[in-house]
Amino acid sequence: AAAEAEVRLLLQEARESIEAARSYRRELQQRLRGLHQAREQIKDSATLTRDVLEQHFSDLKGTLKKLLDERLMSLLQEVDVIEQESIKPLDECQKLIEHGVSTADDLLREGESAVDGDVGQQNEKLCNFTKKALHIQLDSLPEVPSLVDVPCLSAQLDDCLLTILKNQIFRHGTVASRPPVQLEEFVEKPGGILVRWCKVDEDFTPQDYRLQYRKSPASPFEDVYVGSETEFMVLHIDPHVDYQFRVCARGDGRQEWSPWSVPQTGRTSLVPH
């Protein structure tokens, strides 16, 4: 009997040890799952952030190229206009001079034939020629502009644009390892949950917070609170149901909202009054 009792005791102890080992293994597996989720969160958010950065900088490059091309076109058009307007008076002057040259050519031909012609008609020819020569003012020369008075185009290009851009570009965009606000605690209330949050980024100055929740992972998040408080009482909560919450903030004087906090689950076991 004593031996039986001892065996029973040993069996009891063995069963308890097995149960403890089972429970220990369960706990460890739970922790492994937690680790796996943590790893996934880091990897997924890193991939998403890379995509966002690449898309943003690709858009910027496109826009910058477009702006630079437009500016170049407008400067080239300015050059065209100045060139055309400056050449116009030169063309007119050239026509005048060429007309003068051809008149002088005719006159020379006539004069030479009058001087060298036969003596019979020479008198009349010389008379006509002299009259004609008097009629054309051989001393009136058209004005040709001096090079100093003619446009000499150039482009003034300031290097300071690059310096300004460089400084702006090197400061453009930041990478944060975690969202600037996180959910802090959930306090169970009858038919509601008091949600508290806090900022975790020292350099971030929040102006407004925005709290969202959803009843099931399938449904979309919806706003329940926007304002400057760091806690909010969410009502009309079904007891014993998991709700997912997330919070974000808007920096001081900014238009855009920060990234969302990591969603967390809150629930209440207290039935509404």
Side-chain angles (χ1 to χ4, degrees):
E4 261 180 49
E6 200 176 322
V7 168
R8 269 206 305 276
L9 202 64
L10 283 172
L11 271 174
Q12 178 69 23
E13 273 180 22
R15 282 197 191 99
E16 281 170 10
S17 295
I18 288 169
E19 194 42 57
R22 269 206 193 102
S23 151
Y24 182 58
R25 187 180 63 184
R26 259 202 315 275
E27 282 292 326
L28 288 175
Q29 281 169 339
Q30 185 81 35
R31 278 164 169 71
L32 273 178
R33 276 197 293 278
L35 266 182
H36 174 71
Q37 284 176 325
R39 191 186 300 274
E40 288 295 291
Q41 178 171 300
I42 294 170
K43 287 191 150 179
D44 292 351
S45 63
T47 302
L48 187 64
T49 304
R50 275 186 208 103
D51 292 349
V52 166
L53 285 170
E54 276 167 7
Q55 184 59 52
H56 176 78
F57 275 82
S58 156
D59 292 349
L60 268 186
K61 273 185 211 164
T63 309
L64 262 180
K65 185 183 180 315
K66 198 161 141 271
L67 290 173
L68 286 171
D69 287 350
E70 280 170 13
R71 181 62 184 149
L72 174 61
M73 284 313 295
S74 104
L75 288 169
L76 290 173
Q77 276 170 347
E78 266 185 68
V79 174
D80 292 350
V81 168
I82 296 173
E83 182 185 26
Q84 284 156 9
E85 287 183 350
S86 312
I87 283 194
K88 215 181 287 169
L90 300 189
D91 287 345
E92 283 158 17
C93 186
Q94 183 163 341
K95 268 192 208 133
L96 209 61
I97 293 174
E98 281 168 351
H99 177 68
V101 169
S102 77
T103 308
D105 278 348
D106 294 348
L107 201 60
L108 271 171
R109 266 199 304 279
E110 205 174 310
E112 278 160 3
S113 98
V115 171
D116 302 337
D118 55 32
V119 183
Q121 292 170 313
Q122 194 172 27
N123 204 3
E124 195 189 337
K125 270 189 174 177
L126 281 171
C127 236
N128 281 345
F129 170 69
T130 318
K131 246 191 232 156
K132 208 174 204 176
L134 270 175
H135 195 63
I136 297 164
Q137 298 165 323
L138 291 177
D139 55 355
S140 87
L141 289 169
E143 196 66 43
V144 172
S146 70
L147 292 181
V148 181
D149 298 329
V150 176
C152 177
L153 284 78
S154 65
Q156 275 78 52
L157 300 165
D158 198 340
D159 279 348
C160 84
L161 173 67
L162 263 188
T163 315
I164 295 168
L165 274 179
K166 214 187 223 169
N167 291 337
Q168 291 294 327
I169 288 169
F170 284 155
R171 284 204 306 269
H172 181 68
T174 52
V175 173
S177 61
R178 42 176 56 87
V181 252
Q182 291 287 19
L183 293 162
E184 199 173 17
E185 66 169 335
F186 301 103
V187 184
E188 293 190 23
K189 300 282 180 186
I193 301 172
L194 177 63
V195 184
R196 291 202 176 101
W197 54 88
C198 61
K199 71 167 194 156
V200 287
D201 180 351
E202 288 302 305
D203 305 327
F204 186 77
T205 314
Q207 179 183 303
D208 290 315
Y209 296 101
R210 181 175 172 192
L211 178 67
Q212 290 192 335
Y213 81 142
R214 64 180 177 188
K215 195 170 179 176
S216 74
S219 49
F221 276 103
E222 49 186 285
D223 286 354
V224 299
Y225 173 76
V226 176
S228 56
E229 300 295 323
T230 53
E231 61 174 46
F232 181 72
M233 178 72 169
V234 185
L235 296 169
H236 312 298
I237 292 284
D238 298 338
H240 310 294
V241 173
D242 282 347
Y243 287 82
Q244 269 198 322
F245 292 89
R246 64 181 188 178
V247 67
C248 69
R250 186 161 39 197
D252 203 10
R254 302 298 287 268
Q255 287 299 305
E256 74 281 0
W257 291 98
S258 76
W260 290 103
S261 67
V262 178
Q264 290 190 43
T265 304
R267 58 176 1 209
T268 182
S269 51
L270 307 174
V271 183
H273 294 315

